[in-house]
Amino acid sequence: MLPTKAYAAFAPGSPLGPYELLRREPGEHDVLIDIAFCGVCHSDLHQVRDEWRGGSYPMVPGHEIVGRVARVGSGVRGFAVGDPVGVGCLVDSCRTCPSCQRDLEQFCENGPAWTYNGTLMDRKTQTYGGYSTRIVVDQAFVLRVPRNLDLAGAAPLLCAGITTYSPLRHWHVGKGTRVGVVGLGGLGHMAVKLAAAMGAEVTVLSTSHKKEPDAKRLGARAFAVTTAEGALSRLAGHFDLVVDTLSAEHDYNAYLSTLRVDGAMVLLGIPPQAAPVQAFSLIGGRRSLAGSLIGGIAETQEMLDFCGTHGITSDIELIRMQGIGEAYERMLRGDVRYRFVIDTATL
Ligand code: NAP
Ligand code: ZN
Ligand code: ZN
């Protein structure tokens, strides 16, 4: 076994602290990765605080992992020591069910193996995430990071990047598509960059008026402060697609009204509370309310290659592992510009 330094939450909501875990020796199909950077996703915070229930502790969060290959098993093809690689929210799936056959491992009908706060497919071995110095992952779930991308800035692509890329592709965003991005945080800022690169006309809908210059710099054409009187009614019937990344409870009906005929609003943010939806918000204009969960492995590689071609990375603030508590506090206040990334050398 490989002793590995990590940071863990020891009980729901407890501050994170040092923890040592044991990674398995790499098997025939495994890749051992020396983790260089790990992004801090709002999902880490929801799970550390057990807001979605059923969390298992000690919990080592982190599913925006990038690093370099340190060792490969004898059956590994296409990865060599030193290669820049990434791991996202998934480390395995059954590989045989209809979803896995369709490259939708995130919807594995037998339940995928989540990178942390879950188990491997044996349903016994606890998984631990990227707030750690190394990880062992089956080659089928290891992604190639384009060499032209800054490695730290590429870390958030493994969750925030694919989570926003997948619905933009699924709803056929292209030149001239009117896309509304609700919430300019980690997911939101990636949605703006990716949709703009696909040719969309992007509007950011934010509670923070101070983020307007950033929204424009990231590629948005327009900006609306959602707390201002009448802001959403001025956008009534405007968007083809609304991408909702809010982590906290809010009124879906208000945002549904901004969709044009046949428009869709896709929920990416996962507030723990349920929220009522009025039938009237949907029937007028034949609108759809949908959701989307990260993306499959093949699509994640496609997204990384797209980012390599367009030179897209995340706007990050590099932090020490010891600063994670403060980073969580700032995330709760919506004060993230636009993703915290942990330098795992500080472990
Ligand atoms: P984040 O960086 O914290 O951004 C969330 C943004 O929502 C904030 O920047 C803020 O934007 C807005 N916001 C926060 N609190 C708010 C409040 N009380 N009222 C109104 N707006 C508020 O979070 P993230 O990492 O992007 O994640 C966002 C959500 O997506 C989380 O719930 C996370 O669990 C979920 N998620 C889902 C998936 C998936 O596969 N579906 C994947 C990853 C994450 P403004 O300042 O612009 O208003
Ligand atoms: Zn995430
Ligand atoms: Zn499956």
Side-chain angles (χ1 to χ4, degrees):
M1 299 296 261
L2 307 170
T4 300
K5 285 183 192 158
Y7 248 52
F10 297 93
S14 81
L16 272 65
Y19 179 63
E20 186 166 287
L21 57 92
L22 294 172
R23 299 289 191 190
R24 66 177 184 268
E25 288 289 342
E28 191 184 347
H29 301 289
D30 284 337
V31 179
L32 170 66
I33 301 165
D34 282 337
I35 300 175
F37 303 102
C38 184
V40 179
C41 179
H42 206 111
S43 301
D44 299 347
L45 186 49
H46 288 305
Q47 290 178 91
V48 160
R49 291 156 45 120
D50 208 20
E51 290 175 350
W52 300 337
R53 305 284 168 221
S56 56
Y57 300 83
M59 184 191 295
V60 176
H63 56 209
E64 294 185 336
I65 299 167
V66 292
R68 297 205 177 259
V69 174
R71 205 196 306 170
V72 294
S74 59
V76 170
R77 298 286 171 268
F79 292 106
V81 171
D83 284 355
V85 291
V87 177
C89 300
L90 304 167
V91 288
D92 207 350
S93 71
C94 84
R95 309 185 195 197
T96 56
C97 76
S99 292
C100 287
Q101 295 284 315
R102 291 175 61 203
D103 291 329
L104 297 169
E105 297 88 355
Q106 75 273 33
F107 305 132
C108 175
E109 292 177 18
N110 295 299
W114 299 106
T115 300
Y116 72 88
N117 194 22
T119 62
L120 295 180
M121 296 311 285
D122 64 7
R123 297 299 172 220
K124 287 195 280 266
T125 312
Q126 183 73 30
T127 54
Y128 298 103
Y131 295 7
S132 60
T133 52
R134 52 187 173 179
I135 190 167
V136 178
V137 179
D138 187 291
Q139 60 179 337
F141 287 77
V142 179
L143 285 310
R144 271 166 252 282
V145 177
R147 288 176 193 270
N148 61 317
L149 297 182
D150 171 63
L151 202 51
L157 301 179
L158 276 302
C159 176
I162 183 58
T163 299
T164 49
Y165 181 88
S166 185
L168 294 174
R169 281 288 189 234
H170 185 78
W171 275 274
H172 307 294
V173 167
K175 199 165 165 39
T177 311
R178 291 184 191 168
V179 176
V181 174
V182 184
L184 195 64
L187 265 55
H189 96 291
M190 287 313 308
V192 174
K193 289 190 184 205
L194 293 168
M198 292 172 192
E201 283 177 28
V202 182
T203 301
V204 168
L205 306 168
S206 172
T207 58
S208 319
H209 68 273
K210 289 188 189 139
K211 291 181 181 172
E212 178 163 4
D214 286 343
K216 300 275 172 67
R217 177 178 55 77
L218 294 165
R221 293 257 188 103
F223 185 88
V225 182
T226 50
T227 47
E229 187 75 31
L232 290 178
S233 48
R234 277 193 289 281
L235 288 166
H238 185 76
F239 297 114
D240 299 297
L241 181 69
V242 168
V243 179
D244 181 348
T245 76
L246 295 192
S247 51
E249 196 175 6
H250 57 288
D251 180 13
Y252 293 141
N253 304 286
Y255 294 97
L256 284 166
S257 70
T258 66
L259 292 176
R260 66 207 295 190
V261 174
D262 285 333
M265 170 157 135
V266 55
L267 304 184
L268 300 179
I270 319 170
Q273 309 82 358
V277 176
Q278 285 280 338
F280 278 118
S281 303
L282 295 171
I283 62 170
R286 195 163 53 194
R287 299 174 176 125
S288 308
L289 178 60
S292 187
L293 177 69
I294 51 170
I297 295 300
E299 193 175 43
T300 305
Q301 189 62 60
E302 179 190 307
M303 175 277 308
L304 286 166
D305 296 342
F306 179 91
C307 289
T309 303
H310 293 266
I312 294 174
T313 51
S314 175
D315 288 21
I316 65 159
E317 184 174 334
L318 204 58
I319 62 167
R320 296 168 55 76
M321 187 69 255
Q322 297 73 11
I324 190 67
E326 191 196 331
Y328 281 175
E329 287 302 320
R330 285 182 52 194
M331 194 173 236
L332 279 174
R333 297 197 299 267
D335 176 22
V336 187
R337 309 277 166 115
Y338 280 88
R339 198 57 140 187
F340 293 115
V341 170
I342 300 159
D343 178 355
T344 57
T346 59
L347 268 161

